[in-house]
Amino acid sequence: MREKRRTDLAALAALVCTVVALFLANRYLDDYKIRIINLSGIYVTLGLSMNLINGFTGLFSLGHAGFMAVGAYTVGLLTMPVSMKEMNFFFTPIVPWLANVEMGFLPALLIAGLISALLGILIGAPVLRLRDDYLAIATLGFAEIIRVVFTNTQSLTNGALGLKGIPNYTNTWWSWGVAFVTIAFTSFLIRGSYGKAFMAIREDEVAAEAMGINLFKHKVMSFAFASFFAGVAGGLLGSLLGTIDPNMFRITLTFNILLIVVLGGLGRITGTVVAAVVVTVMMEALRFLDESINLGFIELKGIPGMRMVIFSIILILVVILRREGLLTRLKGREASYAEN
Amino acid sequence: MGNLSLFLQHLTNGISLGSLYALIAIGYTMVYGILRLINFAHGDIFMLGVYLTYFGVLYTAIPWWLVFIIAPALTGLVGLLLERVAYKPLRDSPRITILISAIGASFLLQNLGIVLFGGRPRAFPVPRILNHVVKVRGVSINVITFIIPVVTILLLIGLTYFITKTKTGMAMRALSRDYETASLMGIDINRIISITFFMGSFLAAVGGIMWGARYPQLMPLMGVMPGLKSFIAAVVGGIGNIAGAVAGGFLLGLGEIMLVALLPRLTGYRDAFAFVVLIIILLFKPSGLMGTSQTEKV
């Protein structure tokens, strides 16, 4: 009991620190850095939601990019002013029931999450009885189908042209606010009986079923929660960038999140949060590898793609050398949690 | 041009695309049969094969037909190396771990491709003999469309002979049937796995060369879609089953071409077709068309 209170206190302290840090950041940092902070928050949400399926429930799903696409498009279409919509859909007019919709950011985000979750249930119900690699490829397939469909539904998503001029509602309070909601939700979920059931499924499906855990219900539930947060995060991302198109949501995006989950450790919350921030910052910090830099006396030629080469090597090395993730030393308690 | 000749043209196109899928799918199915691993990097090995051929033909004095043999052999070695570095250390780990490593390897190869070969598309140097149009009864067809299925069938005959008649082939089958018992019988597991990766990568590279001759545009990410679709072909046919992979490849190739030919309105959905087929198959016949269903051991 005391231990639990200490965790809660630590969480509260972290929350306060983050709020202060965000406040200071908003005052003193330039737009570019603020953008990185936003991205970090969004990736925290994404990393946790993927970890919920892949790490805690042990279902290998690679469909995140698809759910993010759904979320991003939902928020984009719901928040975009009517006049902007007319400008976007000059090719084929938008479907009438969406033409005059314009709502606030919060309801749009919630609807985005709910549509994503609904889709998650629809997709999950049939495919979640597949195992490991089959599930991976089936979810990947669904993400790919969503992308292809979005490219072709001209009057709903504006097809390959994408959406431009999505209002930039996302700020650090939104991105990190959602991140904290996700952290709190995941922590409570994992501590409770549902979380225990998820982990039991991960450890041994047959044994879990024999213990009376309804496999189907819990798997679909975990999938739906994860899709909900993926959709919300997608909405935040779309609103941050202002411009989206179907090709943004390729498997590369899922790969980035997978990298975060693996670095942070499968089934680790704190690790995922730290990894999300570290990876996002590093992705930006290592940008110099892709671009030329002029040091005054010598010009180093950047090599496009070098950044991702390094990240791929890191991923493989982490998987081979430290399967529990890079950041587990940071927190011993949670590690024992997962092992028990 | 009559309807029939048009149909025949689509048919030959479908068969040649199907042959390419089949060649790549064999690599997936052989590796899966033995290691129970989806080698996500297989599509990128295919890409590497095409690029090696490209550089061999354009930048060395080696005659093109020799390059067409050397480049797949080199690609085979890369495949073998990949297994040693990225998969072998994880052989006893949970499947999810080795799968992540495979995804990492795939992205590594793709981005190495971008770093080494540049992101701009290049034109594949197709020898004239393979690339001219002949007219057969009013149907104009590129020679390569004929060559692809013929080469595929020859390779398949060779492969079938190898798997069924040679000692190594027998060891391969034993390994895919029962990993542990096979090793107890004195089969050198590492050697057989290396050979499997070499052969799978070799075939993928041969498929890659013909792909380059058929669709002569090279890009570092060109392996992703053919790779995924060929994997789907392997699953559709029953993964682990070579004949199934070939059947799945033809089914997918023909289906894709015919979808575009008969329902032009759905052209944009071409890339989704394979995935829809995959999901239907997984739901109704998870072991594939020719696969044997496995009972689960508890």
Side-chain angles (χ1 to χ4, degrees):
Chain A
M1 205 56 213
R2 176 176 294 165
E3 187 154 297
K4 195 178 164 194
R5 186 180 290 164
R6 237 178 55 197
T7 324
D8 290 343
L9 271 178
L12 196 67
L15 182 66
V16 171
C17 287
T18 317
V19 168
V20 172
L22 285 182
F23 188 73
L24 292 175
N26 274 322
R27 271 194 91 143
Y28 296 109
L29 292 182
D30 56 56
D31 282 352
Y32 176 61
K33 296 200 175 88
I34 293 287
R35 188 187 160 103
I36 297 177
I37 293 176
N38 274 316
L39 278 177
S40 308
I42 294 171
Y43 271 108
V44 167
T45 309
L46 288 169
L48 282 175
S49 82
M50 187 186 254
N51 216 339
L52 187 63
I53 321 181
N54 291 20
F56 287 108
T57 323
L59 302 165
F60 199 46
S61 158
L62 293 176
H64 253 59
F67 295 116
M68 285 173 70
V70 172
Y73 270 96
T74 312
V75 168
L77 287 170
L78 289 180
T79 58
M80 197 186 279
V82 177
S83 56
M84 200 66 203
K85 268 181 201 154
E86 277 165 16
M87 277 168 70
N88 263 301
F89 288 81
F90 62 86
F91 210 60
T92 327
I94 190 168
V95 285
W97 50 272
L98 265 174
N100 290 314
V101 180
E102 188 189 340
M103 54 172 75
F105 196 40
L106 184 64
L109 272 185
L110 287 177
I111 293 174
L114 288 176
I115 292 180
S116 261
L118 197 69
L119 194 72
I121 294 171
L122 280 179
I123 292 174
V127 299
L128 281 175
R129 58 197 173 103
L130 302 171
R131 289 275 180 92
D132 302 333
D133 25 24
Y134 280 114
L135 179 65
I137 209 88
T139 45
L140 187 110
F142 267 119
E144 206 48 36
I145 289 175
I146 290 175
R147 192 176 64 77
V148 172
V149 168
F150 277 18
T151 316
N152 285 288
T153 46
Q154 198 72 36
S155 59
L156 183 66
T157 58
N158 208 20
L161 297 170
L163 298 177
K164 293 180 188 67
I166 301 170
N168 294 110
Y169 285 117
T170 304
N171 55 25
T172 47
W173 303 114
W174 276 110
S175 54
W176 277 92
V178 171
F180 267 102
V181 171
T182 319
I183 296 171
F185 179 81
T186 318
S187 312
F188 281 118
L189 192 71
I190 293 311
R191 273 188 214 171
S193 70
Y194 286 128
K196 298 266 192 305
F198 290 164
M199 286 186 273
I201 293 174
R202 173 188 70 193
E203 295 305 326
D204 190 335
E205 266 188 27
V206 180
E209 197 171 22
M211 302 290 276
I213 292 172
N214 185 339
L215 288 186
F216 179 77
K217 180 181 135 196
H218 284 93
K219 281 182 178 179
V220 172
M221 191 189 272
S222 155
F223 207 66
F225 286 144
S227 337
F228 177 86
F229 285 112
V232 172
L236 286 170
L237 187 68
S239 175
L240 176 71
L241 301 175
T243 309
I244 51 174
D245 69 82
N247 279 337
M248 268 175 61
F249 302 97
R250 283 180 179 276
I251 184 197
T252 320
L253 193 61
T254 310
F255 173 76
N256 287 345
I257 310 169
L258 184 70
L259 183 71
I260 289 170
V261 171
V262 173
L263 286 181
L266 287 165
R268 312 264 196 280
I269 293 176
T270 321
T272 308
V273 175
V274 177
V277 178
V278 170
V279 168
T280 315
V281 171
M282 263 175 50
M283 285 270 183
E284 292 300 322
L286 290 179
R287 228 169 241 289
F288 73 89
L289 289 171
D290 281 10
E291 288 153 12
S292 310
I293 36 169
N294 198 345
L295 292 177
F297 55 95
I298 184 171
E299 189 173 323
L300 294 173
K301 258 193 94 181
I303 311 164
M306 203 60 199
R307 205 161 51 115
M308 288 313 289
V309 167
I310 289 178
F311 275 106
S312 321
I313 293 176
I314 292 177
L315 181 79
I316 298 177
L317 285 179
V318 168
V319 168
I320 291 177
L321 302 176
R322 285 191 64 96
R323 230 191 306 146
E324 8 12 308
L326 266 188
L327 303 154
T328 42
R329 278 298 112 210
L330 287 175
K331 189 160 184 198
R333 200 179 309 125
E334 205 174 31
S336 63
Y337 218 125
E339 273 148 27
N340 282 340
Chain B
M1 208 189 291
N3 258 342
L4 182 69
S5 58
L6 196 64
F7 177 78
L8 283 179
Q9 195 149 2
H10 291 315
L11 193 70
T12 44
N13 280 342
I15 289 176
S16 82
L17 182 63
S19 314
L20 295 174
Y21 286 155
L23 274 183
I24 312 172
I26 290 172
Y28 276 113
T29 231
M30 282 170 68
V31 167
Y32 193 91
I34 290 181
L35 286 183
R36 299 278 175 269
L37 159 75
I38 299 176
N39 184 10
F40 265 103
H42 194 61
D44 307 300
I45 292 275
F46 156 90
M47 173 273 293
L48 200 67
V50 191
Y51 269 96
L52 284 178
T53 317
Y54 170 87
F55 287 110
V57 171
L58 283 191
Y59 295 96
T60 61
I62 311 170
W64 63 265
W65 53 269
L66 200 58
V67 173
F68 282 16
I69 300 168
I70 296 176
L74 282 177
T75 316
L77 287 180
V78 174
L80 188 155
L81 201 72
L82 175 79
E83 191 272 330
R84 281 290 154 96
V85 175
Y87 304 152
K88 196 180 166 205
L90 295 168
R91 218 174 269 168
D92 299 322
S93 319
R95 275 163 79 178
I96 203 166
T97 321
I98 186 162
L99 208 56
I100 292 171
S101 184
I103 294 174
S106 160
F107 272 78
L108 179 62
L109 286 176
Q110 281 168 23
N111 289 292
L112 267 182
I114 295 177
V115 167
L116 297 175
F117 313 137
R120 269 183 305 124
R122 292 164 187 261
F124 192 76
V126 193
R128 278 291 293 280
I129 312 177
L130 304 181
N131 190 28
H132 57 270
V133 177
V134 287
K135 277 206 169 220
V136 186
R137 296 188 177 204
V139 188
S140 50
I141 293 171
N142 198 327
V143 184
I144 189 75
T145 327
F146 283 121
I147 297 175
I148 291 172
V150 173
V151 174
T152 306
I153 289 167
L154 288 179
L155 283 170
L156 280 178
I157 293 172
L159 184 71
T160 316
Y161 175 82
F162 178 82
I163 300 253
T164 48
K165 294 285 186 308
T166 64
K167 219 166 180 183
T168 316
M170 198 192 281
M172 242 176 221
R173 281 184 290 145
L175 212 55
S176 71
R177 184 65 62 84
D178 190 329
Y179 196 86
E180 275 180 17
T181 315
S183 69
L184 291 175
M185 297 303 224
I187 291 174
D188 184 351
I189 292 185
N190 290 332
R191 198 179 128 253
I192 298 297
I193 290 178
S194 291
I195 292 175
T196 309
F197 269 86
F198 179 84
M199 288 178 58
S201 308
F202 185 93
L203 291 177
V206 174
I209 292 173
M210 296 197 288
W211 186 284
R214 183 89 179 76
Y215 312 98
Q217 196 190 32
L218 274 65
M219 281 179 292
L221 299 183
M222 67 184 285
V224 179
M225 263 300 152
L228 280 174
K229 287 181 187 167
S230 306
F231 171 74
I232 293 171
V235 174
V236 168
I239 199 149
N241 180 327
I242 290 178
V246 175
F250 279 110
L251 193 75
L252 229 56
L254 271 172
E256 207 180 301
I257 297 282
M258 287 301 167
L259 176 84
V260 177
L262 302 178
L263 301 165
R265 233 160 41 85
L266 294 181
T267 307
Y269 290 96
R270 183 180 170 166
D271 282 344
F273 170 74
F275 290 104
V276 173
V277 171
L278 169 81
I279 286 158
I280 294 171
I281 287 280
L282 284 180
L283 291 181
F284 295 106
K285 205 162 184 324
S287 52
L289 295 177
M290 296 191 184
T292 45
S293 60
Q294 282 176 343
T295 46
E296 193 183 330
K297 286 173 235 169
V298 176

